Amino acid sequence: MQNHTYRVTGMTCGHCVSTITKAVKALDAGARVQIDLASHRVEIDSRATNATQMGAAIKEAGYTPEDLWNLEWNPEDGGTYEEFLAASKNVPSQD
């Protein structure tokens, strides 16, 4: 099973959660989808699809997924390093 973790901007309500969940499940009905609306974090465990496919499905549903595997803190983007760490906590190690 592969784990895909994203920060998804534009997610503001339960309808957004439902829309993203449906988009993911359309690719892999057996996927486990956990969404934390407050932190805009979407975590997906899937056997059938890869990160690129999942990100594309979320984007096609009308949202902007940011793959947390590739996320780097840049002070010019705004926010503190502590906020960056809080937003990206629990990202699995790539080791």
Side-chain angles (χ1 to χ4, degrees):
M1 187 164 286
Q2 296 181 1
N3 179 275
H4 315 291
T5 305
Y6 305 91
R7 181 179 338 174
V8 180
T9 56
M11 222 176 26
T12 58
C13 65
H15 181 265
C16 299
V17 171
S18 176
T19 300
I20 290 170
T21 301
K22 286 177 184 175
V24 169
K25 296 280 188 172
L27 288 178
D28 179 3
R32 184 182 60 84
V33 183
Q34 291 185 295
I35 299 177
D36 181 350
L37 192 57
S39 67
H40 304 278
R41 185 182 179 90
V42 176
E43 187 172 327
I44 303 163
D45 288 323
S46 172
R47 293 181 194 268
T49 60
N50 63 40
T52 301
Q53 292 169 316
M54 287 295 178
I58 294 169
K59 188 172 184 171
E60 188 173 305
Y63 301 91
T64 305
E66 187 174 14
D67 186 349
L68 290 182
W69 284 113
N70 299 319
L71 189 63
E72 294 182 23
W73 180 66
N74 182 347
E76 294 176 8
D77 290 339
T80 66
Y81 184 67
E82 289 75 20
E83 291 169 333
F84 167 79
L85 289 177
S88 60
K89 70 180 180 178
N90 299 322
V91 175
S93 170
Q94 293 186 34
D95 297 335

